[in-house]
């Protein structure tokens, strides 16, 4: 998953930007240069890609990266630079950014030499071994030079302690920490696209499967108007937090001639070991494990569908959800709104994935 970010402040101390470049470049002056970036999605950082492509004679020879987790209501008001280039930061900008105390932020990547590769492909990758949640990073370059692209990879993570217990949240959103852990087909688009940020921009921003070849020569409907076909496609998601799903949104926007005929949604609770076993077994999970959240339901093309979950009465806590579409096609967005459970099943692990553990007696209550 890519952690999107927006450029909040460029430290332009004793230098000015060079112009006519598709990247970030600084003039060679005293000191070293740096910029502070606010992540578009707060979460756990797994790695960086510092790309110096096309900066063959003027790339930054060394760099380091620091990070911090800043509370939204405690951040100073920093003037927006906009597209202004060719000028150093103003005293007012420096005064505002000094309140961030970025010199003292944690180092995720120490000072490291950047290595140029091919002119059109000079990527420098850095893995990060940290379980902490971050909101801002500081990129330092030593002493100056250019960087074409900086990409920050990781997993979104919501601060669940700050959520309103009376308001439902999207428990599967990628920005909150949800992720796809298995699927049957992703020929035109990965299922993770469905739980992305905001509304879909096009069909390419959703999940779309290939056409199934086991469709009968002549298609027929049942008494409810649902296609009678033998096969289906599915995608399994690990929720960002175990909880009770109360509202389901399945959006087929942009899919006009290739939307699914119908769908259903099921949920279950799995431990970490069970999830790992299911991944190895390609999710051949016993049928009794899955609990229905939405029965087989007819879908319309290019439309957002809102449904109430069956768990409104069952009040079942789940950790995973499976969307099944029949026979194939595309879905632009999946939203599973509900309430985090009072029993937290999440626990950190050393490897860069999330684990679940179940408290004693919890399984007996399902």
């Amino acid at each position: 998953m890519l952690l999107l970010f927006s450029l909040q402040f460029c430290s332009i101390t004793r230098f000015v930007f060079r112009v006519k470049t598709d990247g970030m470049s600084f003039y060679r002056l005293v000191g070293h240069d740096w910029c502070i970036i606010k992540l578009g999605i707060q979460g756990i950082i797994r790695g960086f890609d510092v790309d110096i492509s096309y900066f063959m004679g003027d790339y930054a020879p060394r760099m380091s990266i620091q990070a911090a987790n800043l509370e939204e209501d405690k951040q100073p008001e920093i003037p927006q630079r906009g597209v202004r280039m060719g000028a150093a930061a103003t005293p007012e900008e420096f005064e505002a950014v000094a309140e961030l105390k970025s010199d003292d932020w944690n180092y995720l990547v120490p000072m490291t030499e950047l290595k140029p590769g091919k002119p059109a492909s000079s990527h420098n990758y850095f893995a990060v071994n940290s379980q902490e949640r971050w909101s801002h990073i500081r990129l330092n370059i030593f002493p100056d030079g250019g960087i074409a692209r900086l990409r920050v990879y990781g997993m979104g993570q919501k601060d669940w302690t700050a959520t309103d217990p009376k308001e439902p949240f999207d428990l599967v959103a990628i920005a909150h920490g949800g992720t796809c852990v298995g699927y049957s087909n992703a020929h035109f688009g990965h299922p993770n696209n469905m739980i992305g940020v905001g509304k879909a921009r096009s069909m390419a921003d959703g999940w779309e499967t290939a056409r199934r070849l086991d469709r009968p020569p002549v298609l027929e409907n049942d008494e409810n108007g649902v296609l009678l076909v033998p096969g289906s496609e599915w995608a399994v998601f690990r929720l960002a937090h175990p909880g009770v799903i109360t509202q389901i949104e399945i959006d087929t926007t942009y899919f006009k001639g290739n939307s699914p005929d119908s769908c259903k949604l099921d949920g279950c609770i799995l431990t970490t070991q069970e999830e790992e076993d299911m991944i190895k077994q390609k999710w051949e999970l016993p049928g009794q494990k899955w609990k229905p959240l939405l029965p087989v339901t007819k879908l319309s093309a290019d439309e957002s569908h809102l449904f109430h979950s069956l768990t409104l009465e069952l009040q079942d806590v789940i950790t995973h959800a499976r969307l099944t579409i029949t026979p194939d096609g595309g879905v632009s967005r999946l939203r599973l709104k509900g309430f985090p459970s009072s029993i937290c099943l999440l626990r950190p692990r050393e490897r860069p994935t999330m684990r679940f553990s179940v408290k004693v007696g919890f399984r007996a209550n399902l």
Side-chain angles (χ1 to χ4, degrees):
M1 178 197 317
L2 175 65
L3 282 178
L4 306 175
F5 62 79
S6 60
L7 186 62
Q8 181 175 4
F9 180 82
C10 276
S11 158
I12 310 147
T13 52
R14 293 167 292 277
F15 58 85
V16 292
F17 280 118
R18 293 177 61 182
V19 296
K20 297 183 180 179
T21 59
D22 185 14
M24 181 177 72
S25 181
F26 305 102
Y27 277 125
R28 189 175 297 112
L29 294 174
V30 177
H32 81 86
D33 303 327
W34 50 269
C35 66
I36 291 177
I37 296 167
K38 180 180 181 180
L39 299 178
I41 299 176
Q42 299 180 19
I44 299 173
I45 295 175
R46 299 303 186 196
F48 298 98
D49 173 15
V50 183
D51 183 0
I52 55 174
S53 298
Y54 299 106
F55 286 85
M56 290 297 98
D58 54 355
Y59 67 89
R62 304 168 202 84
M63 68 92 218
S64 68
I65 300 177
Q66 298 167 265
N69 184 21
L70 306 179
E71 297 182 22
E72 192 72 30
D73 57 350
K74 296 183 179 179
Q75 297 179 26
E77 188 68 29
I78 298 177
Q80 295 295 318
R81 288 187 56 85
V83 296
R84 179 164 58 91
M85 298 177 62
T90 64
E92 292 76 18
E93 288 173 326
F94 274 110
E95 182 179 352
V97 82
E99 297 182 36
L100 296 175
K101 300 179 180 179
S102 60
D103 288 331
D104 302 326
W105 289 2
N106 296 296
Y107 278 90
L108 297 185
V109 181
M111 185 188 296
T112 306
E113 182 179 348
L114 293 175
K115 298 180 180 180
K118 297 180 180 179
S121 181
S122 295
H123 298 271
N124 291 259
Y125 298 102
F126 303 93
V128 175
N129 183 20
S130 170
Q131 296 294 330
E132 294 186 54
R133 182 171 174 268
W134 307 106
S135 64
H136 293 68
I137 62 171
R138 168 172 162 155
L139 172 65
N140 304 293
I141 58 175
F142 302 95
D144 48 45
I147 292 176
R149 294 290 186 273
L150 172 66
R151 294 180 172 88
V152 186
Y153 295 95
M155 294 181 63
Q157 187 181 75
K158 186 174 181 61
D159 181 7
W160 296 102
T161 62
T163 59
D164 185 348
K166 297 180 181 180
E167 291 294 327
F169 284 91
D170 186 357
L171 297 179
V172 78
I174 205 167
H176 297 163
T179 187
C180 175
V181 291
Y183 57 86
S184 60
N185 188 287
H187 189 81
F188 295 108
H190 197 281
N192 265 338
N193 292 343
M194 284 192 294
I195 57 175
V197 178
K199 294 183 178 295
R201 297 181 294 271
S202 66
M203 285 194 298
D205 196 24
W207 172 43
E208 185 179 3
T209 72
R211 292 285 190 179
R212 293 188 63 89
L213 301 180
D214 58 0
R215 291 171 296 162
V218 179
L219 299 177
E220 297 180 358
N221 293 338
D222 65 10
E223 62 275 10
N224 297 317
V226 176
L227 277 180
L228 295 171
V229 290
S232 60
E233 305 292 355
W234 53 267
V236 178
F237 299 89
R238 182 201 306 138
L239 301 187
H241 193 294
V244 176
I245 304 300
T246 58
Q247 187 182 77
I248 300 164
E249 179 182 358
I250 298 175
D251 190 353
T252 60
T253 298
Y254 298 114
F255 291 95
K256 299 179 180 180
N258 51 352
S259 62
D261 176 74
S262 61
C263 74
K264 67 175 183 175
L265 187 74
D266 302 289
C268 70
I269 182 169
L270 296 176
T271 64
T272 303
Q273 188 58 53
E274 286 174 327
E275 181 193 279
E276 292 178 351
D277 292 342
M278 289 303 100
I279 292 175
K280 294 176 183 177
Q281 299 171 25
K282 299 187 183 300
W283 287 97
E284 294 182 3
L285 190 65
Q288 65 270 21
K289 277 273 191 180
W290 294 107
K291 299 176 182 293
L293 303 179
L294 180 71
V296 175
T297 303
K298 186 79 172 179
L299 293 177
S300 300
D302 192 30
E303 185 176 320
S304 177
H305 308 75
L306 290 176
F307 307 102
H308 289 297
S309 170
L310 294 177
T311 54
L312 280 172
E313 292 136 6
L314 299 177
Q315 292 295 304
D316 279 338
V317 173
I318 65 169
T319 60
H320 294 68
R322 179 183 65 184
L323 175 65
T324 303
I325 59 173
T326 303
D328 48 45
V331 177
S332 60
R333 285 294 183 266
L334 172 68
R335 304 297 186 202
L336 303 180
K337 292 187 177 181
F339 298 90
S341 68
S342 58
I343 301 176
C344 183
L345 305 178
L346 295 173
R347 64 181 175 87
R349 63 183 296 184
E350 293 181 358
R351 286 187 289 171
T353 56
M354 299 293 290
R355 280 207 161 194
F356 298 95
S357 62
V358 178
K359 289 190 175 182
V360 176
F362 181 76
R363 191 175 281 281
N365 294 327
L366 294 179

